[in-house]
Amino acid sequence: MSGAVVDVDEKRCKGCGICLTLCPRRVFNPDERGKVKVSRPERCTGCLICDNLCPDLAITVHRAKEGREGGRVRPPAV
Amino acid sequence: MSGAVVDVDEKRCKGCGICLTLCPRRVFNPDERGKVKVSRPERCTGCLICDNLCPDLAITVHRAKEGREGGRVRPPAV
Amino acid sequence: MNENARLMQGNEAVVEAACAAGLKFFAGYPITPATDIAEMAAVLMPKAGGVFVQMEDEIASMAAVIGASLTGAKAMTATSGPGFSLMQENIGFAAMAEVPCVIVDVQRLGPSTGIATAPAQGDVMQVRWGTHGDHPVVALAPAGVAETYDLTVKAFNLAESLRTPVVLLLDEVVAHMREGVVVPDAGALVVRERRRPPGGPAYRALGDGVPAVPDFGSGGAVHVTGLVHDERGLPSNDRQVADALIRRLHDKVQRAAGEFTFTNSWFLEDADVAVVAYGSVVRAAHRAVVLAREKGLRAGLLQLQTIWPFPAAAVASLGRRVSRVIVPEMNLGQLVGEVERVVRGQTDVIPLSGLAGRLFTPDEILNEIIRRGKSARAVPGSGLRAYRGR
Amino acid sequence: MNENARLMQGNEAVVEAACAAGLKFFAGYPITPATDIAEMAAVLMPKAGGVFVQMEDEIASMAAVIGASLTGAKAMTATSGPGFSLMQENIGFAAMAEVPCVIVDVQRLGPSTGIATAPAQGDVMQVRWGTHGDHPVVALAPAGVAETYDLTVKAFNLAESLRTPVVLLLDEVVAHMREGVVVPDAGALVVRERRRPPGGPAYRALGDGVPAVPDFGSGGAVHVTGLVHDERGLPSNDRQVADALIRRLHDKVQRAAGEFTFTNSWFLEDADVAVVAYGSVVRAAHRAVVLAREKGLRAGLLQLQTIWPFPAAAVASLGRRVSRVIVPEMNLGQLVGEVERVVRGQTDVIPLSGLAGRLFTPDEILNEIIRRGKSARAVPGSGLRAYRGR
Amino acid sequence: MEKRQEICLSGSGGQGIILAGQVLAEAALKSGWYVVQTQSYGPEARGGATKAEVILSDAPVDYPMVTAADLLLAMNQESCDRYLAGVKNNGTVIVDSTNVSHTPPTPTRLVSLPLTAVAREELGKEMFANMVALGVITSLTGEISLREAENALLTRVPPATTEANRKAFWLGVQLANRLV
Amino acid sequence: MEKRQEICLSGSGGQGIILAGQVLAEAALKSGWYVVQTQSYGPEARGGATKAEVILSDAPVDYPMVTAADLLLAMNQESCDRYLAGVKNNGTVIVDSTNVSHTPPTPTRLVSLPLTAVAREELGKEMFANMVALGVITSLTGEISLREAENALLTRVPPATTEANRKAFWLGVQLANRLV
Amino acid sequence: MQEVLEEYLRQDMMPHMWCAGCGNGIVLHSLIRALHDLALEKEKVVVVAGIGCAGRAAGYLNLDTLHSTHGRALAFATGVKLANPDLTVVVLMGDGDATAIGGNHLIHAARRDIDLTAIVFNNSIYGMTGGQQSPLTPQKSIATTAPGGTTQRPFDLPQLARGAGAGFVGRSTTFHHQLMTRLIGDGITHPGFALVEAITYCPTAFGRQNKMGSPVEGLRWQRDHFVEINKFLSLPEEDKKGKEPMGQFHPAKGPAWPH
Amino acid sequence: MQEVLEEYLRQDMMPHMWCAGCGNGIVLHSLIRALHDLALEKEKVVVVAGIGCAGRAAGYLNLDTLHSTHGRALAFATGVKLANPDLTVVVLMGDGDATAIGGNHLIHAARRDIDLTAIVFNNSIYGMTGGQQSPLTPQKSIATTAPGGTTQRPFDLPQLARGAGAGFVGRSTTFHHQLMTRLIGDGITHPGFALVEAITYCPTAFGRQNKMGSPVEGLRWQRDHFVEINKFLSLPEEDKKGKEPMGQFHPAKGPAWPH
Ligand SMILES: Cc1ncc(C[n+]2csc(CCOP(=O)(O)OP(=O)(O)O)c2C)c(N)n1
Ligand SMILES: Cc1ncc(C[n+]2csc(CCOP(=O)(O)OP(=O)(O)O)c2C)c(N)n1
Ligand code: SF4
Ligand code: SF4
Ligand code: SF4
Ligand code: SF4
Ligand code: SF4
Ligand code: SF4
Ligand SMILES: [Mg+2]
Ligand SMILES: [Mg+2]
C-alpha cells in the first residue's frame, strides 16, 4: 500500500516530462494531449520529488491516511 | 650653493599654502595677493616636493647647472 | 507686506510646502540648481517623521519614490534637466500604474550639461512628452516664491487625487530668489489625501476615472505593473483593455482639468496685445505690460500656472479678443507651439525667444509690445530668431 | 516586381542598409520589437569589419555609440520605447557635442512596459522633445521595407553631414513585415561621409553651420563636451556663446531641412479631403484614399517620411487647398498637434486616434473621409475620442 | 485592375506557420509578384495561435494585412474557428483534417487534407506538415512557380532537414494535383 | 506710485555678500516691505565676482532684478568697475575703500568707507566687513528697522560669531551716522 | 483544508505563462515554501520584481506585488522598505534584470545593507526577449547576440555581491530545491541585504541554442555540476574543474541601515 | 627646451577651475607624468571623463578628450576603445561619478576586461555640487545631505572592483604621488581593465564640513592614514585600526576581451 495520494492539475500541466522521468516509482504516464496523467497511483511513496520539481505547480501529493482532505505532504523544514 | 632653480607661475598659483608649508627648506613666502613667491631661492635642494604637490601645476624646479633652459627636474621613474 | 511673512528661497518653499502637504518620503540625487531641495529635505524629513534617502542616481530616486508612494506615503523627488531625462522611464511607469508622486524639475540651460547655473525654460515640452507612449501629465510652473509654496501644495493634492505623477516646473530664477511667504496655518491649508479603497478590484476606476488602489501592507494583495492591465491590475494582452486603459489615464486628468487650470491675468479686459507667459518670465512680462500701459498701449498679460494640460480654453478666449499674442520664453520657442495650435488663424502669435541664460528684461518684452509686425523675434543681440522649425 | 528583389523584414532592412551605408559600430541592448536589429548586427558587423557589442543597458549603448563615432566610425543603436527613454540624456549629449549617430526606435505600445508586441506610434513627440533643453532633432519614418532601406541610408547620410543624431522611427508593423527590396548596387548608393577637418578650431562652423571635428586618434587634440562650449570646443560660461551655440545647432538642421524633407503625395492635385499619415498607417491610408476615389470622393494623401523637422511647408500648402485634413495615428493624437499648429484657421484638422495595438483598417480611415463634420474621432468601438487636451 | 491575392496561413505555435509564410512570400517574390508578408503571434507570449499573412499583387501592395482572404490554411481547430469567417465567398479554405475535426459551414471552397498525418506517415515527423501545406497551396494558387517555392524552401529550412522538407513540399503538390 | 528701492551688493566670493543680501532682505521684510532678493555668482564656478540684489517696495514686486540701482555696495575693485554704471543718477554708491583704490567718475552720491579695515581692526577678522557694510546700508536707506536688521542678522550668522557680527553691524551704523 | 500553496498563488493568473519545463516555477514554489515556513503575516509581505520571464513571478503571488521596470526592482524595493520598515520585502529578478541593466541597484542595495531579500533567477540568458547573452551567460555559450559564442566574461555573482558588501549571499539550483527554500528563508530572516542566486534552467531560450536538452536534462546538469560549498572547498583542485559551489557563501555580518 | 608638463596641458584652459589646494591637480600631474614615462604617442591617447570636479581634468589635457555625461564615462570609453583598439584610453571620474550613478558601467567594464584604465578621483564627496555624500564617503562623515553624518555604508572600492572581475586594482593618495604615478603607468600597461583609486583631498566640499583643515593637513592625513598594502597586511590587528592599505591590490590576471 502506498504512502500518499498524488494529483495532477491538468489545467496547469504543460507536459514538460519532469515528473514522468524523475518519479522513482514511474507513477505518471503521458496522455494524448501532451500532458501527464497519474497512471499508477498505488505505487506512489510520497517522496515529493514530483511535487517539488513540477515547474507548473501542478502536482499535489497528499498524505494517504487522510486522503485529499488531509493536506499536502510537506517536506521537513530544513 | 643650491641644486636647483625654482619658479612659481603666479598666474596659476592660488596660494593654497602647500609649498609654503611642505618645502623642507622654507624657500617660499606668501605675497600680498594671497599667492606665494620664491623668497629664498638659494636654499632650494631640488627635492621636488613643491613641484609634485602643487595642485595648480604652478611650480617648476630646474636643474641648477643648466638653469631654466636645462629642463625640469624629473623624479626618478619608479 | 504681512510681517508674519518668512523670507524663503524658491527651493526652500518647495520643501516647506511639501512638508505642510504631508510629504513623508524624499529620494533624490544632487544636481544644480535643484540640490538645495534635497539638502533641505535631508534636514526636514527626519523632523517630520519622514524619510530622506540619497539614491545612487535619478533613475533609482524616481523608483524609490514610486515604491514609497505605494505604501501610502506622499513622496517626492527633485532634479534638473539631465536627471529629469533619466527619470523619464519611471515617470511613465508612475503614470501607467497610477502612482501618486511629485517630481520637481528645476530647469537649467541645456541641452546636455549646458550651463548648470544658467536659468532657462528648456524642459517645458519634455515635461509633456519625455517618456515613451501616450501618457498623461500634469505640470505646474510658479512665477515666485509664494506661488511656489502654493503650487507645491496643489501639486501634492493633484497627485494624490488623480493618482498620477505631477511635475512642478521651476526655473532657476524662481528656485533661487528669496521672497516673503506667508505660511498658511495648518488648518487653513487644503490638503488632500488619496482615496482609500472601498473594496472591489484595485484598478477599477470610480466615477471620476480614478481608481482607489490599496496601499501596500494594507491587505489588498494588489498587483501593480507597467504592463497594460485590467481592473484587477493583472497584465492583459487584450487590445481593447489597452485602449480603454490608456484613454482612461488621459481622461481622468482631462476631466478634472477645469479644477486645476490655474491662470492669472492682468489688464486683459481691453487689451489689444496680450503677453502669455509662465515661470519667472511672468515677472518681467508684468513689468513690461505696466510700462506699456504707462505709454498708453493696450497691453495685457495671461500667466499660465498650469502648463499641462495646456490651458487651451483660456488661451483660445484670448485669441478671439486680441490682435497679437506675444509669447516670451527662456527657450527657442516651446510652449508657443501650443499657443499657435490653439489660436492660429485668429490672431498673430509672436514667439520671443531668450536663450542667453538670464531672465528677460522688461524692456525686451516691452519692445516687442511696441513693435508692429508679426515675425518671430529673439532677444536683441542674439542674431537669430526663435526657432520655428521644430 | 523586380526578380532581383530580396525578401526582407523591416528590421533586417535597417541592418542591411546600415551596412551598405558604412556602419562600423553597433552597440545595443535587447528589447522587443527591436531585438532582431541587434541580433542581425551581431552577425553582420564582424563580416563587415565592424564591431558589435551588447552593452549593460541602453544608456551605455548610446554612450558607446557616441564614443565610437568620435573615432570616426559610423555608429548606430536600436531600441524601443523604454530603452529610448533611457537614452534621452545621451542623445542630448550627441546633439550638443555634434556627434553623428543613428538611433532606431521601433515603437511598441506604451506608456511604460505596455504591450511589447503591439504596434503603436506613441513616441513621435518624444523623439522631438525627449531630452532636456532646446535641442535639434532629425527623424525619419518609413512606411514599408524598401523605404526602410532607403531611409536608413539617408539617416546615416544626414547624421554624418549634419553631425547630429538622427532617429529612424519604425513602428512594429514596418519592423516585422516582409517585402521585396531591390538592393541598390554599391556604386549606385549615395553614401556621405562626415567632413574631414580643414584645420582651425574643432568646433568652428563652416558655411553650412556644421563644424568639421577631427576624429579621435587623428592628432586633433580635440575636446568634446556637453557643456556649452566655444569654437575650440572648450567650456564656456559666456551667455552669448551659449545663445549662439544652441541657435546654431538648430539652425544647421533647419537650413538643410529643405534637402531632406521627404514626403510623398497621392491624388492631392484636386483633393478636397487630405489624409496626412506616416509609418505603416500610410499603407492603410493609401488604400482608404483609393477606395474613396472609387466612390467618387476627392480624397488625397500626404505621406511624411521626414517627421522632424516637421514638414511645415508641405502641410501648410495642403491647408490652403483642402477643406479637411484627417490625421490618423496609432496614438492618442500626437503629430496632429503640429498639423494644427500649421494649418489651423485655414482648414479643419481631424485627428483619428487608434490605440488598439493594431494597424488601422482602410475602412476606419475611409469612414472618416466619408463622414462630414470636424470633431475628433477614435477608432470605432473604443468609446473615447482622440485626446485633445495635451 | 490590380490583381491581388490574400493568403492567410494559421495554426498553433509549433507548426511552422511563419516559416511557411516566409517561403511562400519569397517564392511569390521570385515569381515576379509584389509581396508583403506579416505575422501575428496571438495574445499569448508563448505557444498559442499563430497566423502568417501573405499578399501578392501585380502592383505595389498598399495595405499589408488580409482584409478578406482568398485562401485560408487552418492547421488546427482554433484557427479554423477563428479565421474561417474572414474568407471571401469565392475563396478557398484548406484544413488539416488531422487536427481539425469540425469545420463550420462555409460558402467557400473547402479542401480538407490530412496534412499532418501525411507528414507523420511519409516523413516520420509531424513538423514537416507545414511544407506539405506549402506544396498544396503553391499548387492550388497556380500563381507561384513551384521551382521558386522549392528554392525558397531550401534556403530557409535548417540544412539538416532540407531533404525531408523538399519531399514534404512535393507530397503536398501531389496531394493538390489529385484534387484537380 | 509704487515706492521701489533697488539695492545691489557686490564683491568677491569670500566676502559674505549673499549673506548680507539675505539679512538685508529679511530685515526689510520684517519692516513691512515687499522684498525680493536674488543673487548671481558670476561666470566662474568658484570664487570670482558675487552679486546680491535686494528690491524693496510698498507693493508686490514684479520684476525681481535690479534695472537701475538706488544703492550699490562695491566691496572690491572688480565689482565697482562692473556695476557702477548701473546706478541711478540720484543713487548712492558705497565703496569699501580698503579694497577699491580707484572709483571711476560718477554722478551719483559716493560714500567711501574702509569697511574691511574697520572689521580687521575692530573685530580682528576681515570677514565681518559684510556686516559693517550692512550697518551702513541699513542706516543710510532709513527705510529698514535697525532692530529688525539686528534680529535678522542674529538668526542667519553662525552661532559662534553672533557677537562679532552684531558688533560689526553697529560699527557700520555708527560709520553711517557720522556721515550724516 | 485549503492548500498552503494555493493560498499564495493568484488563482486568476494560473496557469502561468512560463514555458513547459521552465525552472522559474520551481523557484516560485521554493519561495512560497520559505514564506510559509517563516509564518510571516501575508499582508506584510511585499514582492517587487523587474521585467523578464523571472519578473513575471510577482504576478503569480497573492500578495502585494510590484512588477516594476527592467533592472530597477531593487530601487523600487528600497522605497517600499524605507517608507514602511514593517514590511518584509522580497525582490525577484532575472539575471539580466539584476546584473545587466540593474547592476548598479544591486551593488548599492548590498552597500546600503537595507533589509531586502533579492532572488536572482539565473537562467544564464535573456529569456523574455528570446535568448540574448546576459552578464551571467557562461563564456563561449551561444546566444542570439553571440552567434559564435559569447566572448564577454561573465560575473561571478556571489563575488560581485560580496565585493559590494552583501552580508548574506547564497546560491542554489532548482534541483536542490530544499537548499533553495532554506537559503530564501534564511535570507529573509537575515537582518540586512540578502542575495540568493537561484540557478534555473531555461529550456527555450538557453537550452535549445546550447543543446542542453530537455528540462529533465537541465535538472540533471544542475545536480551534477553544483557542489555544496564546504564540500567544494575540500575537493582536490583537479576535481573542482567543471564544478561550482553552492550554499551560503558568506556569514551574515554588518549592521542593517539605517540604524 | 619645452617643458614636458606644459606639452600635456591645454594652455588655453590654465589656470584650472579647481579650488586652492584641491588635490585634483596633483592627480592630474601624476597622470601626465605616467603618460610621459610610457612615451606613448600622444595622438593615440584618448582621455574620457565624467561630470564633476574630477571630470574637468579632461579639459586640461592637450589630447583627444571627451567630457561625457555624469556616470557614463566608462561606457563612452568602451565605444572609443572597441571602435579603435589602437588608442590608449584613460578614464577619469569622481567618486560619485564612478561609483554612484556610474557604478554599473564600472562593474561591467571590469567584467568585460576591455583595455581601459580608470582613475577614480576619490575625494569622499560630491565636490562639484557642493558637498553631498557619495558612496565612498566614510560612514559618519558630515555631508550636506547627511547633516548628522552619513548612515549609508560606503563601498570598499578595490573590493568592489575585484568582485566585478578587475584584473588590476591599485590605490594611492595624492601625498604618495610617486606611487600614484607608478600605479597609473602600470594600469595603462596592464592589458585589460585597470582601476586606480586616487585618494584626493577636497578642502572645500569635504574638508570644511568635516573640519579636516587646510590642504596641507589633508596631505598629512593621507600620509598618516595610508600604509602600503604589504606592510599593512603584516601589521598586528590592533595597529590596522585607523589605517587603510594602498598599493597594487591584485595581481594582473584574466584575459583581455575580445580575444
Ligand atoms: C529598459 C528596458 N530595456 C529592455 C527591455 C526588454 N527586456 C525585457 S526582459 C529583458 C531581459 C530578460 O532577461 P532576464 O532579466 O535574464 O530575465 P529572464 O527573462 O531570463 O527571466 C529585456 C532585455 C525592457 N523591458 N526595458
Ligand atoms: C545625470 C546627472 N545627475 C546629476 C548631475 C549633477 N552632478 C554634477 S557633478 C556631480 C557629482 C560630483 O561628485 P563626484 O563624482 O564625486 O566628483 P567631484 O566633483 O567630487 O570630483 C553631480 C551629482 C549631473 N550633472 N548629471
Ligand atoms: S512536472 Fe508538472 S508540468 Fe511537467 S509533466 Fe509533470 S505535471 Fe506536467
Ligand atoms: S511523490 Fe514521489 S513517488 Fe509519488 S508520484 Fe511523486 S515522485 Fe512519484
Ligand atoms: S603649492 Fe602651488 S598653488 Fe599652492 S601656494 Fe604653492 S605655488 Fe601656489
Ligand atoms: S624643490 Fe624642494 S627645496 Fe626646492 S623649493 Fe621645492 S620643496 Fe623646497
Ligand atoms: S523563455 Fe526560458 S525563462 Fe522564459 S519562460 Fe521560457 S523557459 Fe522560462
Ligand atoms: S570642490 Fe573640492 S574637489 Fe571640487 S575643485 Fe574644490 S576642492 Fe576640488
Ligand atoms: Mg535570464
Ligand atoms: Mg567626489
Side-chain angles (χ1 to χ4, degrees), chain F residues 94-138:
Chain F
I94 304 169
V95 298
D96 180 350
S97 58
T98 320
N99 302 319
V100 179
S101 51
H102 161 80
T103 314
T106 164
T108 63
R109 175 178 173 210
L110 184 80
V111 179
S112 182
L113 294 168
L115 305 169
T116 299
V118 167
R120 183 173 52 220
E121 282 150 28
E122 304 283 330
L123 300 154
K125 276 196 177 149
E126 297 190 349
M127 60 177 264
F128 298 116
N130 60 345
M131 290 301 138
V132 179
L134 188 75
V136 174
I137 294 167
T138 317

Side-chain angles (χ1 to χ4, degrees), chain E:
Chain E
M1 255 287 302
E2 179 192 348
K3 185 168 170 193
R4 179 173 164 127
Q5 280 244 17
E6 302 193 347
I7 301 174
C8 173
L9 316 181
S10 64
S12 68
Q15 288 182 309
I17 295 296
I18 290 169
L19 179 64
Q22 285 176 38
V23 173
L24 191 66
E26 177 140 358
L29 182 71
K30 297 295 179 192
S31 308
W33 294 95
Y34 286 93
V35 170
V36 185
Q37 186 260 318
T38 61
Q39 59 243 308
S40 79
Y41 301 88
E44 292 78 32
R46 298 192 170 68
T50 306
K51 182 173 66 163
E53 299 184 349
V54 181
I55 292 172
L56 334 181
S57 173
D58 57 358
V61 178
D62 53 7
Y63 192 62
M65 311 288 178
V66 167
T67 44
D70 294 285
L71 190 150
L72 169 71
L73 167 72
M75 291 199 45
N76 71 356
Q77 188 66 50
E78 185 190 344
S79 53
C80 181
D81 299 349
R82 193 187 288 189
Y83 301 118
L84 195 66
V87 182
K88 280 185 192 153
N89 282 354
N90 60 350
T92 303
V93 175
I94 304 169
V95 300
D96 180 350
S97 58
T98 321
N99 301 319
V100 179
S101 51
H102 162 78
T103 313
T106 163
T108 62
R109 174 179 175 209
L110 185 79
V111 179
S112 183
L113 295 169
L115 303 171
T116 299
V118 168
R120 183 173 51 222
E121 283 150 26
E122 304 284 329
L123 300 155
K125 279 199 174 147
E126 298 191 349
M127 60 176 265
F128 299 115
N130 61 344
M131 290 301 138
V132 180
L134 187 75
V136 175
I137 293 166
T138 318
S139 211
L140 284 188
T141 62
E143 307 282 13
I144 299 167
S145 145
L146 292 174
R147 230 10 95 194
E148 291 296 354
E150 185 184 21
N151 284 341
L153 176 164
L154 296 180
T155 59
R156 298 224 168 214
V157 303
T161 62
T162 28
E163 264 325 300
N165 275 301
R166 185 211 304 268
K167 215 173 144 197
F169 173 75
W170 289 110
L171 275 169
V173 172
Q174 281 170 29
L175 277 182
N177 288 346
R178 249 176 271 148
L179 291 172
V180 198

